[in-house]
Amino acid sequence: MSDCHDLSENNTFDLAVIGAGSAGFSAAITAAEAGARVALIGDGTIGGTCVNVGCVPSKTLIRTAESLHHAAAAKRFDGIETSARVTDWQAVVRQKQALVDELRQARYTDLLPRYDSVTYMEGKASFTDTGLLEVDGEIINAAKVIIATGSQPDVPAITGMEQVPYLTSTTALELEHLPASLLVIGAGYIGVEIAQMFSRAGVEVKLVSRRGLLPKMEPEIGKTLTRYLREEGVHIVTVDAYTGMDVIDGGVRLQAQLNQKELILIAEKVLVATGRKPNTDSLNLSAAGIEMLIDNGVKVDDHMQTSRPGVYAAGDVTGADQFVYMAAYGAKLAARNAMNCNSLSYDNAAMPAVVFTDPQVASVGLTEAGAKAAGYEIRTSTLTLSNVPRALAARDTRGLIKLVADRESGRLLGAHILAPEGADSIQTAAVAIKMGMTYQQLSEMIFPYLTTVEGLKLAAQTFDRDVKNLSCCAG
């Protein structure tokens, strides 16, 4: 690969981007707008994970299932009684797919003709042992390369698994008929979202994991959400190990171990939601001198550059921050660095994360454990939603807000929300952390009354006072 300033006329392209998903398009558009000649290389359905099999279809079906739950939950208001039920799940899935097709066309396929300097290529890309890029055996001359090949569901090594017709997060969202029962293995973001969605659609759901719900989140959130899901009818089981899986008459059987005793779980269908792994197997990266991580992710530095100068990587393929907006952000950064001598650094300190359960889980910054591990002396405040007027008016006080701050300076280090509208509140905390605000400054800001986000102000006030002693809007 050439050095940063060598974008000579002898190269067919200034930049080649491997992968035509969110990260790939972000990199290609960024470079094209900077005047670069770009080769965008796709393999399979254009648009990548988010629009096709991830964010868009899953959140569409989650919203559908929420309508079923909220209809029944209307009884919390005196004098109101209503209900809803699934009459045609096939129609639900077809409507979901229509939206997916529409967005893929509008946000990906139709964008390509608008960028004359982007050449789209269809084929399998890989590196030669000397570091050259090829697509289906044809060498692509490019001054710089960005790897943005995304990820795929990661399937654990459970004895007998290869004989079981298991579902992944991709195939589960394509089911046109609801199973009577579903066993979900894995209680991370994907597992809890899909488990609750199917449960609300009328499926008997067993959610099994080895570390409990959302193990990377604050323990208070995981514990509280566990209680809410159980109240809705989701059967949650924590085990020590998975020991085997096989097909039985009418379903699937999972053998697990708990406290040195055998545990048997049976369901009509099984969904494996134990995480995702980077798509790197076919790229020949190691032979080309590009270092890999233990999880087969591409190792990058703060500039998104790999161990091979001139080759960058962004998005899920790096194995970190597997959110579509971080993929787009990292790819844009990689493209700018490829064009401008690595002048920018990746910054995820104020990265918001959302789990679309109900109530929603939203987080930004450090957890309490993470802050302590980073060497901070900290203070925390925890506010239940029973202290938030919006929740009281909605007759729905499920949830809590936890803030983490540096003890000496009061600087806000983390914010963690479990609330029905938590996803739309977390960005305020993200801005506060990004700007280095203290919890005192957050507590003194003006917030609109009867909003969920006002809970952040109340949680900030909770560091130094009991908000039950305040009148409405006081502060």
Side-chain angles (χ1 to χ4, degrees), residues 93-108:
V93 173
R94 286 176 177 172
Q95 185 184 45
K96 174 268 296 182
Q97 190 58 44
L99 176 63
V100 168
D101 295 343
E102 177 185 339
L103 288 178
R104 180 176 59 243
Q105 186 71 32
R107 302 296 177 87
Y108 292 93

Side-chain angles (χ1 to χ4, degrees), residues 53-275:
V53 297
C55 319
V56 172
S58 66
K59 277 51 179 181
T60 300
L61 294 181
I62 287 168
R63 274 299 194 190
T64 301
E66 279 181 9
S67 69
L68 298 168
H69 175 78
H70 291 164
K75 63 184 179 183
R76 68 179 183 263
F77 297 100
D78 290 346
I80 303 295
E81 185 174 344
T82 186
S83 63
R85 62 187 178 89
V86 176
T87 59
D88 187 348
W89 187 253
Q90 190 175 58
V92 170
V93 173
R94 286 176 177 172
Q95 185 184 45
K96 174 268 296 182
Q97 190 58 44
L99 176 63
V100 168
D101 295 343
E102 177 185 339
L103 288 178
R104 180 176 59 243
Q105 186 71 32
R107 302 296 177 87
Y108 292 93
T109 305
D110 288 350
L111 282 184
L112 289 173
R114 302 177 192 176
Y115 294 91
D116 293 336
S117 60
V118 176
T119 300
Y120 182 71
M121 301 179 179
E122 182 72 31
K124 290 187 177 298
S126 62
F127 288 88
T128 67
D129 292 351
T130 58
L132 296 177
L133 177 64
E134 60 181 9
V135 177
D136 291 338
E138 180 181 346
I139 297 297
I140 304 298
N141 294 310
K144 302 293 171 67
V145 177
I146 296 177
I147 304 166
T149 48
S151 63
Q152 61 183 298
D154 190 13
V155 179
I158 302 175
T159 302
M161 191 98 180
E162 64 280 359
Q163 305 300 324
V164 176
Y166 59 85
L167 299 168
T168 66
S169 57
T170 297
T171 55
L173 301 179
E174 296 170 348
L175 288 175
E176 292 194 347
H177 301 283
L178 292 170
S181 56
L182 177 67
L183 176 62
V184 179
I185 301 176
Y189 288 32
I190 296 171
V192 294
E193 287 182 354
I194 296 182
Q196 186 181 44
M197 182 269 289
F198 275 111
S199 177
R200 288 181 165 185
V203 178
E204 180 186 337
V205 175
K206 299 182 181 75
L207 178 58
V208 57
S209 72
R210 291 182 293 184
R211 294 191 294 165
L213 264 63
L214 303 178
K216 294 182 180 180
M217 292 288 185
E218 289 285 6
E220 297 96 324
I221 287 178
K223 181 179 179 180
T224 305
L225 184 62
T226 296
R227 174 162 57 87
Y228 294 154
L229 292 186
R230 281 178 171 155
E231 289 172 353
E232 288 191 23
V234 178
H235 183 50
I236 299 174
V237 182
T238 302
V239 301
D240 297 325
Y242 308 120
T243 57
M245 185 182 295
D246 59 358
V247 177
I248 61 172
D249 186 26
V252 178
R253 174 173 55 192
L254 173 68
Q255 292 138 5
Q257 199 171 67
L258 177 62
N259 298 327
Q260 298 183 333
K261 295 182 180 179
E262 186 181 43
L263 183 66
I264 302 295
L265 297 167
I266 296 173
E268 179 184 335
K269 297 282 188 182
V270 61
L271 163 64
V272 179
T274 50

Side-chain angles (χ1 to χ4, degrees), residues 266-384:
I266 296 173
E268 179 184 335
K269 297 282 188 182
V270 61
L271 163 64
V272 179
T274 50
R276 298 181 66 83
K277 63 179 181 180
N279 289 324
T280 56
D281 290 346
S282 64
L283 295 174
N284 196 38
L285 298 180
S286 297
I290 298 173
E291 289 185 31
M292 310 287 289
L293 301 171
I294 295 176
D295 65 358
N296 280 335
V298 181
K299 183 179 180 180
V300 295
D301 61 18
D302 289 343
H303 306 298
M304 310 306 292
Q305 186 168 228
T306 70
S307 57
R308 189 177 187 91
V311 178
Y312 299 76
D316 285 9
V317 76
T318 66
D321 299 341
Q322 293 187 334
F323 302 100
V324 64
Y325 43 92
M326 296 306 290
Y329 161 70
K332 181 180 291 187
L333 193 74
R336 288 175 174 170
N337 281 337
M339 299 295 104
N340 296 289
C341 297
N342 298 336
S343 59
L344 302 172
S345 296
Y346 187 83
D347 180 9
N348 63 357
M351 177 190 75
V354 175
V355 186
F356 287 89
T357 48
D358 176 26
Q360 296 167 349
V361 178
S363 176
V364 64
L366 297 175
T367 61
E368 179 178 350
K372 289 178 179 178
Y376 287 100
E377 292 288 333
I378 63 166
R379 296 183 64 193
T380 66
S381 76
T382 302
L383 180 81
T384 62

